[in-house]
Amino acid sequence: MRSSYLAATTMGQLQQKLNLIGHNLSNSSTTGYKARTANFSSLLHQQINQNGIDGEAPRQTPEGLRQGTGAKLGHTNVRMDAGTITQTERPLDVALSGEKHFFQVQVTENGAAETHYTRAGNFYLQPINNNQQVALVTAQGNPVIGENGPIVLQSDIDEISIQDNGNIMVRRGEQQQVEASLEVMEIDRPRSLETAGGNRYRIPDNVPAAGLTAVAPDPGLHVGALESSNVDMGEEMTNMLEMQRAYQMNSQSISMGDQMAGLINQLRS
């Protein structure tokens, strides 16, 4: 049953790759989404020795057989290359210009506040404190962190806009002034970030802080625009067809093994 075991093991890993491709396709329209890729690696090989072959000549192949035990999903990567900038003309839509630049958001998990990072700049105003104030939040409702912590403004706003240097300009009546500022972080090794769900990333606990130095550069924001997903639909569809054919081939291998076992049972009877 070695062929069946090998095929069944590989099919389970192929299913994970198909799930990954499906996740990319479903997020092809998600703002700032970064496509995920996966690589396969071989599992252990088993040496099967053959008796009664010593001294036989001529022999061109090594003694024994190497039987593989399938493949596994080695690791997944996040492609951090920038997506296409799409103009929306919405005052609270902001796109980042640098591939290593991220917005900071505050996420509360298990009662503890944690800083996450995102490329999605579609922000909104959420009323808080009995509508006395408004907070700048992401599409998931997580507060956006500025230079002085989460951005919170008084609610009597007539007009609000974000400048290309990250300043948040607020107009109340005839008075217009800067009341907050976005803090854009530059992460030296963005591929070391781990996904946290909701189009967010976090710094892993096992990664040294020195390897993920965060500084506040000149943002150079694209105001009234959003970064599109970097998912390549053609590439994802091609990968999906390849995985489906590989899955089908391994499935047929199990069927053939079952048919051969049935034939042997018939001969014995």
Side-chain angles (χ1 to χ4, degrees):
M1 301 295 292
R2 291 181 181 273
S3 62
S4 297
Y5 293 149
L6 187 151
T9 300
T10 304
M11 286 172 66
Q13 303 301 308
L14 290 173
Q15 182 62 54
Q16 294 187 31
K17 179 64 181 290
L18 284 171
N19 293 341
L20 191 68
I21 295 173
H23 190 267
N24 287 338
L25 291 174
S26 63
N27 285 278
S28 60
S29 300
T30 301
T31 301
Y33 176 80
K34 301 303 177 185
R36 293 166 173 79
T37 60
N39 296 321
F40 287 94
S41 60
S42 299
L43 294 174
L44 295 175
H45 287 78
Q46 182 180 3
Q47 182 73 23
I48 303 176
N49 294 324
Q50 296 172 303
N51 297 325
I53 60 175
D54 293 338
E56 293 183 2
R59 182 178 180 85
Q60 301 296 328
T61 60
E63 296 182 2
L65 298 174
R66 289 180 62 84
Q67 174 68 50
T69 55
K72 69 173 183 178
L73 207 63
H75 60 277
T76 59
N77 297 320
V78 180
R79 289 172 42 196
M80 285 297 180
D81 50 298
T84 305
I85 303 298
T86 304
Q87 295 294 326
T88 65
E89 305 303 331
R90 183 173 173 269
L92 293 182
D93 284 347
V94 186
L96 295 168
S97 58
E99 293 186 3
K100 298 182 178 181
H101 292 178
F102 292 84
F103 297 110
Q104 294 183 104
V105 297
Q106 186 182 75
V107 179
T108 302
E109 294 183 348
N110 300 323
E114 185 177 347
T115 300
H116 288 183
Y117 304 90
T118 183
R119 295 277 300 183
N122 49 332
F123 300 140
Y124 301 87
L125 294 178
Q126 180 178 1
I128 58 174
N129 299 330
N130 296 324
N131 295 329
Q132 297 298 315
Q133 295 177 313
V134 292
L136 188 69
V137 299
T138 63
Q140 291 77 31
N142 299 308
V144 180
I145 298 177
E147 293 182 351
N148 300 315
I151 299 176
V152 178
L153 308 170
Q154 296 301 318
S155 60
D156 54 338
I157 297 175
D158 294 328
E159 184 179 356
I160 184 172
S161 61
I162 300 177
Q163 308 298 309
D164 57 3
N165 60 357
N167 290 336
I168 299 177
M169 187 73 67
V170 177
R171 182 178 66 83
R172 293 183 173 88
E174 299 298 328
Q175 185 178 5
Q176 185 174 0
Q177 62 181 1
V178 175
E179 297 192 2
S181 181
L182 292 173
E183 186 175 36
V184 178
M185 307 303 290
E186 182 178 11
I187 299 179
D188 294 336
R189 293 164 50 198
R191 295 183 183 275
S192 298
L193 296 173
E194 66 178 11
T195 57
N199 207 11
R200 303 187 310 272
Y201 306 91
R202 65 160 63 94
I203 298 177
D205 296 333
N206 59 348
V207 174
L212 292 172
T213 304
V215 296
D218 180 13
L221 303 176
H222 297 281
V223 180
L226 291 175
E227 178 187 3
S228 302
S229 168
N230 67 350
V231 173
D232 188 331
M233 295 292 290
E235 180 181 355
E236 295 297 332
M237 294 298 293
T238 301
N239 291 337
M240 183 175 65
L241 290 175
E242 290 179 354
M243 293 302 104
Q244 287 178 335
R245 290 173 180 173
Y247 193 95
Q248 183 180 16
M249 182 187 67
N250 283 274
S251 177
Q252 291 177 350
S253 175
I254 295 178
S255 298
M256 292 179 61
D258 183 65
Q259 293 175 7
M260 293 174 65
L263 179 61
I264 293 174
N265 288 333
Q266 293 177 6
L267 292 176
R268 287 180 176 177
S269 61

PDB file of all heavy atoms in Angstrom, residues 39 136 264:
ATOM      1  N   ASN A  39       5.575  26.794  -1.011  1.00  0.00           N
ATOM      2  CA  ASN A  39       6.543  25.907  -1.633  1.00  0.00           C
ATOM      3  C   ASN A  39       6.416  24.513  -1.018  1.00  0.00           C
ATOM      4  O   ASN A  39       6.144  24.371   0.179  1.00  0.00           O
ATOM      5  CB  ASN A  39       7.973  26.422  -1.430  1.00  0.00           C
ATOM      6  CG  ASN A  39       8.203  27.752  -2.108  1.00  0.00           C
ATOM      7  OD1 ASN A  39       7.712  27.992  -3.205  1.00  0.00           O
ATOM      8  ND2 ASN A  39       8.944  28.634  -1.457  1.00  0.00           N
ATOM      9  N   LEU A 136     -10.479  57.681  14.409  1.00  0.00           N
ATOM     10  CA  LEU A 136     -10.112  57.239  13.064  1.00  0.00           C
ATOM     11  C   LEU A 136      -9.829  55.744  13.135  1.00  0.00           C
ATOM     12  O   LEU A 136      -8.940  55.305  13.872  1.00  0.00           O
ATOM     13  CB  LEU A 136      -8.885  57.997  12.571  1.00  0.00           C
ATOM     14  CG  LEU A 136      -8.510  57.779  11.100  1.00  0.00           C
ATOM     15  CD1 LEU A 136      -9.554  58.406  10.189  1.00  0.00           C
ATOM     16  CD2 LEU A 136      -7.130  58.373  10.800  1.00  0.00           C
ATOM     17  N   ILE A 264      -5.445  -8.980  -7.194  1.00  0.00           N
ATOM     18  CA  ILE A 264      -4.655  -9.974  -6.475  1.00  0.00           C
ATOM     19  C   ILE A 264      -5.552 -10.850  -5.609  1.00  0.00           C
ATOM     20  O   ILE A 264      -5.380 -12.064  -5.517  1.00  0.00           O
ATOM     21  CB  ILE A 264      -3.581  -9.264  -5.625  1.00  0.00           C
ATOM     22  CG1 ILE A 264      -2.556  -8.596  -6.543  1.00  0.00           C
ATOM     23  CG2 ILE A 264      -2.883 -10.247  -4.688  1.00  0.00           C
ATOM     24  CD1 ILE A 264      -1.552  -7.754  -5.806  1.00  0.00           C
TER      25      ILE A 264
END
